[in-house]
Amino acid sequence: MIEVSDREFEVLEAIWEGAPVTANEVVSRLNKKSAWHDKTVKTLLGRLVKKGAITFQREGRSYLYSPCLAREEYVQKQSAGLVERLFDGKIGDFVAGFATTKKLKHSDIKELKAFIDKWEKEND
Amino acid sequence: MIEVSDREFEVLEAIWEGAPVTANEVVSRLNKKSAWHDKTVKTLLGRLVKKGAITFQREGRSYLYSPCLAREEYVQKQSAGLVERLFDGKIGDFVAGFATTKKLKHSDIKELKAFIDKWEKEND
DNA sequence: ATTTACAGATTACACCTGTAATCAAACTTG
DNA sequence: CAAGTTTGATTACAGGTGTAATCTGTAAAT
């Protein structure tokens, strides 16, 4: 898969918020969370284009950027990779390990149960 | 937390297999999976020491390396970080997302249920 | 004692990252 | 049309990464 760095990922997130989008809008979105220098963002946009993670269409003097892969797709690959690397692919181990540090809430358990019910209905 | 690179992590895994351990034994363990040049491994060991991820005691002419943090600890922090970054901390979303690509097996579901039972017993 | 071997330390080097500044082309404004 | 502005492109530069080769000190062998 295309490898994006930490900072590049943050830029990607901003693009996933809504595309196509101008560089300036990306800068604005990012600055809602923390301070980004616009030159830095432009550089990262360029690198993402070069890596094939995003594309653009010229719109007058500027560009409109769009992601080349859906957030879900990216996120799922990252998840699968981590479970594979760290838990030998066993999601149960992941959840158990996760729960030893991050205290789960009742709502988390409820979500898990809902997921299991759904899975069992679909897979009798 | 201490940041270790991908390759450094693989070396760490070899050390976690059993420590304290000599550089040569680390090389051997790594070569069971894929080819590693011993010079490269030595470099990575040095970098891990410098980062404080591992330590060593001199043993005659060579060193015996040991990890400075437990695998569980490292793995849990990585897990928590990923769930936080990609799923806003919601583990249910993580599992649901994970299941859309990696087909879960009955054994996975069984593990999840066992985990939930345990959790519910502990948290009435 | 001199040579040899081996371990870790130092050096190498290209590519990636984070963080921008500068350049150049086009667009706007006077 | 000339000057300033805006946008992406190019350049910069230090520190990290992958992948080793070379240096250096000491231990083993002759």
Side-chain angles (χ1 to χ4, degrees):
Chain A
M1 184 177 34
I2 296 164
E3 286 289 341
V4 308
S5 74
D6 289 359
R7 296 301 261 177
E8 285 164 1
F9 173 72
E10 294 185 66
V11 172
L12 246 187
E13 287 274 46
I15 295 174
W16 277 323
E17 271 183 40
V21 59
T22 64
N24 281 335
E25 173 60 17
V26 171
V27 173
S28 299
R29 289 179 188 171
L30 288 167
N31 278 314
K32 278 186 289 188
K33 289 280 174 184
S34 60
W36 288 72
H37 197 294
D38 79 319
K39 295 295 186 185
T40 301
V41 177
K42 303 286 183 72
T43 297
L44 294 174
L45 285 169
R47 289 182 184 169
L48 284 168
V49 168
K50 186 193 276 187
K51 287 185 177 183
I54 63 178
T55 17
F56 62 85
Q57 303 93 51
R58 188 168 260 106
E59 202 271 338
R61 57 213 151 290
S62 60
Y63 291 174
L64 287 179
Y65 296 92
S66 303
C68 288
L69 81 170
R71 186 174 192 282
E72 292 70 47
E73 208 181 323
Y74 176 86
V75 148
Q76 281 161 25
K77 277 180 184 156
Q78 293 294 311
S79 305
L82 181 131
V83 173
E84 193 57 45
R85 269 197 319 285
L86 305 184
F87 298 93
D88 194 27
K90 293 175 198 134
I91 189 153
D93 288 0
F94 172 92
V95 173
F98 183 87
T100 68
T101 23
K102 306 293 280 189
K103 268 284 149 236
L104 296 198
K105 289 191 280 297
H106 280 84
S107 58
D108 292 320
I109 294 292
K110 222 162 105 178
E111 257 200 27
L112 283 175
K113 284 169 114 168
F115 166 75
I116 289 173
D117 283 352
K118 185 161 134 306
W119 187 91
E120 290 186 325
K121 233 158 246 148
E122 286 163 6
N123 301 75
D124 50 53
Chain B
M1 187 174 36
I2 296 164
E3 286 289 343
V4 308
S5 76
D6 288 358
R7 297 301 260 176
E8 285 163 1
F9 174 71
E10 294 184 65
V11 173
L12 245 187
E13 288 273 44
I15 296 172
W16 276 323
E17 271 183 40
V21 59
T22 64
N24 282 334
E25 172 60 18
V26 171
V27 173
S28 299
R29 288 179 188 172
L30 288 168
N31 278 314
K32 279 186 291 189
K33 288 281 173 183
S34 61
W36 288 72
H37 199 294
D38 78 319
K39 295 296 187 185
T40 301
V41 177
K42 303 287 184 70
T43 296
L44 293 173
L45 285 169
R47 289 181 183 168
L48 284 167
V49 168
K50 187 193 271 186
K51 287 185 177 184
I54 63 179
T55 17
F56 62 86
Q57 302 94 52
R58 187 169 260 106
E59 203 272 337
R61 57 217 151 286
S62 60
Y63 291 174
L64 287 179
Y65 297 92
S66 303
C68 288
L69 82 168
R71 186 173 192 282
E72 293 69 47
E73 208 181 321
Y74 176 85
V75 148
Q76 281 160 27
K77 276 178 185 158
Q78 293 294 311
S79 305
L82 181 132
V83 174
E84 192 57 45
R85 269 197 319 286
L86 304 185
F87 297 93
D88 195 26
K90 293 175 197 135
I91 187 148
D93 288 358
F94 172 92
V95 174
F98 182 88
T100 67
T101 22
K102 306 292 277 188
K103 267 283 148 233
L104 296 198
K105 290 190 279 295
H106 280 83
S107 59
D108 292 320
I109 294 292
K110 221 163 104 178
E111 259 201 27
L112 283 176
K113 283 168 115 170
F115 166 75
I116 289 173
D117 284 352
K118 186 160 132 311
W119 187 90
E120 291 186 324
K121 234 158 244 148
E122 286 163 5
N123 301 76
D124 51 48

